[in-house]
Amino acid sequence: MKLMHLSDLHLGKRVHTVSMLEDQAHILRQILQIAAQQQVDAVLIAGDIYDKGVPPAEAVSLFDAFLTELARQGKPVCIISGNHDSAERLAFGAQLLDGRGIYVAPVYDGTVRRVELRDAFGPVQIHLLPFLKPAMVRRVFPEETIETENDALRCAIGHMELDGAARHVLLSHQFVTGAVRCESEEVSVGGLDNVDAEVYAPFDYVALGHLHGPQNIGANLRYCGTPLKYSFSEAGQKKSVTLVELGEKGRVERAAVPLEPLHDLRELRGSYLELTRREFYAETAVEDYLHIILTDEEDVPDAAAKLRTIYPNLMHLSYDNRRTRQSQELQLAEAMEEKTPLALLEEFYVLQNNAPLSEEQRAFARHMIEEIWGEQL
């Protein structure tokens, strides 16, 4: 069985105030072509369909057209909500959509929707687990101790009934410990959103959403990443969709099919004179979305407006020179000076351990700092 794994479409997103809808429509057409050419048996969409809980009408229309074409191709589609989606809005009309082979995860109520497909090797059970926060699971299982997202996922998966003989695929939208983030993603303080990979051990393949960079986590977990670049921290990435082929129980193969954007998102660096030379920009895709980093020591008057006559999709302009580097160092030093030793220690501990100090550790650190510096914190 061949599955296409997508996530984090973020339909309706704006990057540096620029609407990405035209680019998103282009990439969804490309994904439809790949689905038809590769003859996939089903499409998995692992959350963050929209960029906001109440998306603009144009984004809803775009997704509607995408699903309609997949239904016309006869491709079953399995969808879960992500942290950017409204689970209630996304699940509206789910029973009607079932008749067209579009399966949407309902708001979590303690059960996880299961869609069963079959091939020559038997059943493939696809489990639709929407984005979960601890409070969502505590509400259903008040007798359980659930403080972190890892606790929530462990509890939710622990209450799922899995047929040991079948092959199991899970859609999940969480942050798995060890994965690499991008600037365009939301970050929880203190690592409380971390989920251990071993929580997903019962599944043959886990189609993950939430992180924007494509990456494998262990043998059976994968983030397919966004189909488009949504921040300049992603400029070096190659976007793709993931094809997953399930053989007999225990055999899973993955392949990335590259996507070609309408406009790439890149960074250019150099002096104003270098970047405005015809021989330079004649060999550059000037229509791409750009972050231009000028290295001139003096600011160029109206640089952004002048550069847009050559690079019409300039999104962001910044400088990297002695002044900006000194300013950054000064801001960092001032920020550090304003913080207490205990606050600095807590920040360092989180960076090192991806978890906050416990109350016992914090009390011990406070005592030692007061003893050494004689400060009352």
Side-chain angles (χ1 to χ4, degrees):
M1 181 173 294
K2 186 182 287 186
L3 307 173
M4 175 184 279
H5 172 194
L6 308 171
S7 78
D8 297 271
L9 306 181
H10 286 281
L11 301 180
K13 187 174 182 65
R14 303 180 78 87
V15 179
H16 289 279
T17 73
V18 176
S19 171
M20 302 299 288
L21 271 172
E22 184 183 6
D23 300 80
Q24 291 169 335
H26 169 85
I27 217 70
L28 290 182
R29 287 192 294 269
Q30 204 171 131
I31 290 169
L32 289 169
Q33 291 172 359
I34 294 170
Q37 292 166 358
Q38 293 289 333
Q39 298 182 323
V40 301
D41 297 297
V43 176
L44 315 177
I45 309 180
D48 279 359
I49 311 304
Y50 300 113
D51 194 53
K52 295 181 179 179
V54 183
E58 297 85 353
V60 177
S61 296
L62 180 57
F63 190 53
D64 176 61
F66 180 63
L67 291 182
T68 300
E69 178 58 24
L70 286 173
R72 191 194 66 77
Q73 291 184 18
K75 312 290 187 193
V77 184
C78 297
I79 304 168
I80 64 170
S81 55
N83 58 302
H84 281 252
D85 298 311
S86 163
E88 294 83 359
R89 286 186 173 88
L90 199 61
F92 175 78
Q95 293 183 35
L96 290 172
L97 290 172
D98 282 2
R100 298 298 304 273
I102 310 295
Y103 306 104
V104 183
V107 175
Y108 183 72
D109 63 359
T111 59
V112 177
R113 185 170 192 187
R114 182 177 65 201
V115 176
E116 184 166 296
L117 305 176
R118 301 187 71 89
D119 64 6
F121 297 105
V124 174
Q125 294 184 350
I126 302 175
H127 306 269
L128 311 186
L129 183 63
F131 173 70
L132 292 181
K133 299 291 282 183
M136 302 174 185
V137 185
R138 273 199 303 269
R139 187 166 54 246
V140 181
F141 301 106
E143 72 282 1
E144 302 270 3
T145 301
I146 300 170
E147 297 179 353
T148 66
E149 289 188 19
N150 191 65
D151 297 335
L153 266 289
R154 191 181 299 279
C155 177
I157 291 172
H159 284 85
M160 293 170 61
E161 295 183 3
L162 302 179
D163 176 3
R167 290 160 294 167
H168 296 280
V169 174
L170 178 72
L171 275 68
S172 182
H173 191 94
Q174 309 290 155
F175 173 59
V176 178
T177 303
V180 179
R181 296 187 187 268
C182 299
E183 287 179 1
S184 53
E185 300 152 3
E186 292 184 357
V187 179
S188 288
V189 177
L192 294 178
D193 61 344
N194 286 17
V195 175
D196 295 334
E198 55 90 13
V199 169
Y200 296 110
F203 301 96
D204 296 274
Y205 180 73
V206 181
L208 290 167
H210 192 34
L211 299 191
H212 292 187
Q215 54 195 296
N216 297 325
I217 309 293
N220 66 330
L221 283 71
R222 177 166 173 81
Y223 287 103
C224 61
T226 54
L228 289 170
K229 299 174 185 178
Y230 289 134
S231 80
F232 288 102
S233 66
E234 302 168 49
Q237 294 178 7
K238 183 64 179 176
K239 298 300 185 177
S240 61
V241 296
T242 297
L243 296 183
V244 184
E245 194 155 353
L246 302 176
E248 65 275 13
K249 179 80 172 172
R251 187 173 73 82
V252 180
E253 296 179 2
R254 297 172 293 201
V257 179
L259 296 169
E260 294 300 327
L262 184 63
H263 305 97
D264 201 359
L265 188 145
R266 300 184 297 115
E267 291 186 328
L268 291 181
R269 181 187 182 89
S271 69
Y272 179 83
L273 183 61
E274 290 169 338
L275 298 181
T276 54
R277 283 177 179 158
R278 179 178 294 277
E279 55 268 30
F280 178 84
Y281 65 76
E283 299 179 357
T284 299
V286 295
E287 297 292 329
D288 285 346
Y289 295 128
L290 296 175
H291 170 204
I292 291 182
I293 306 165
L294 292 179
T295 57
D296 302 83
E297 289 300 329
E298 299 295 331
D299 287 3
V300 178
D302 297 321
K306 292 175 181 175
L307 287 166
R308 282 197 178 96
T309 63
I310 302 172
Y311 307 103
N313 291 320
L314 169 62
M315 281 185 166
H316 184 52
L317 176 68
S318 63
Y319 285 84
D320 182 16
N321 52 33
R322 284 194 298 270
R323 175 181 56 79
T324 58
R325 286 192 291 272
Q326 288 171 356
S327 176
Q328 289 168 359
E329 291 171 1
L330 181 60
Q331 288 173 5
L332 178 61
E334 289 176 346
M336 291 182 67
E337 286 177 3
E338 292 173 359
K339 294 179 180 178
T340 66
L342 181 58
L344 292 169
L345 175 63
E346 287 182 299
E347 289 183 2
F348 178 72
Y349 186 89
V350 168
L351 287 172
Q352 289 281 38
N353 300 280
N354 217 12
L357 287 169
S358 68
E359 284 304 314
E360 184 179 0
Q361 290 171 321
R362 196 172 190 278
F364 177 77
R366 179 191 293 270
H367 171 74
M368 294 302 297
I369 291 171
E370 289 177 353
E371 188 172 294
I372 293 169
W373 275 290
E375 297 183 14
Q376 296 296 316
L377 303 180

